[in-house]
């Protein structure tokens, strides 16, 4: 029943897959910022790309058990993934910079977190994962829809 396709258990598998991808994303981001002193926006972009690759592989093989052509799935995933990377990167930047303009928020969070951008990154990652990634992957990427039919001529 847990491996059955669809429903609540699919959602749980997707969340587990997303958590693994998120761990990879955050690990890459934090290592780039801390060890290599990469600007947090670029590090966020790199982390989102790396996490997306892991998420795609796990979802294709285990979460959604896709039977579609790998090329069709890959093209659809890349379309959704580009939006996800943009939402995560821009969202983290926008929220970080907005909160940094509020002195008491910036000062309070800086007391507990060495890298202030981590809190906005967590908030944005959760929102994007729940409202964009899961829904687009479930209803678009891993459905057996030929990508060419979306862009083909209609009679």
């Amino acid at each position: 029943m847990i491996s059955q396709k669809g429903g609540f258990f699919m959602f749980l598998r997707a969340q587990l897959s997303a958590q693994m991808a998120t761990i990879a994303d955050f690990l890459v981001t934090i290592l780039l910022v801390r060890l290599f002193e990469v600007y947090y926006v670029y590090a966020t972009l790199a982390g989102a790309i790396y996490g997306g690759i892991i998420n795609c592989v796990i979802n294709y093989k285990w979460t959604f058990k896709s039977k579609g052509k790998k090329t069709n799935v890959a093209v659809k995933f890349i379309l959704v993934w580009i939006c996800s990377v943009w939402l995560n990167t821009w969202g983290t930047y926008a929220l970080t910079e907005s909160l940094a303009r509020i002195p008491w928020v910036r000062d309070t969070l800086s007391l507990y977190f060495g890298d202030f951008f981590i809190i906005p990154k967590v908030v944005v990652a959760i929102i994007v994962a729940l409202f964009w990634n899961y829904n687009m992957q479930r209803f678009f990427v891993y459905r057996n829809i030929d990508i060419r039919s979306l862009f083909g001529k209609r009679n």
Side-chain angles (χ1 to χ4, degrees), residues 50-71:
Y50 188 74
I53 292 168
I54 289 174
N55 188 253
C56 181
V57 170
I58 294 170
N59 282 342
Y60 183 83
K61 293 181 180 278
W62 182 62
T63 305
F64 297 104
K65 297 176 173 51
S66 182
K67 302 284 190 231
K69 286 184 170 182
K70 288 182 182 179
T71 53

Side-chain angles (χ1 to χ4, degrees), residues 86-103:
W86 182 82
L87 288 168
N88 275 291
T89 304
W90 184 85
T92 299
Y93 172 76
L95 189 56
T96 299
E97 296 302 317
S98 296
L99 291 175
R101 290 189 183 113
I102 306 169

Side-chain angles (χ1 to χ4, degrees), residues 17-31:
S17 169
Q19 288 173 2
M20 289 186 271
T22 299
I23 289 168
D25 173 353
F26 276 71
L27 186 62
V28 167
T29 301
I30 291 168
L31 286 174

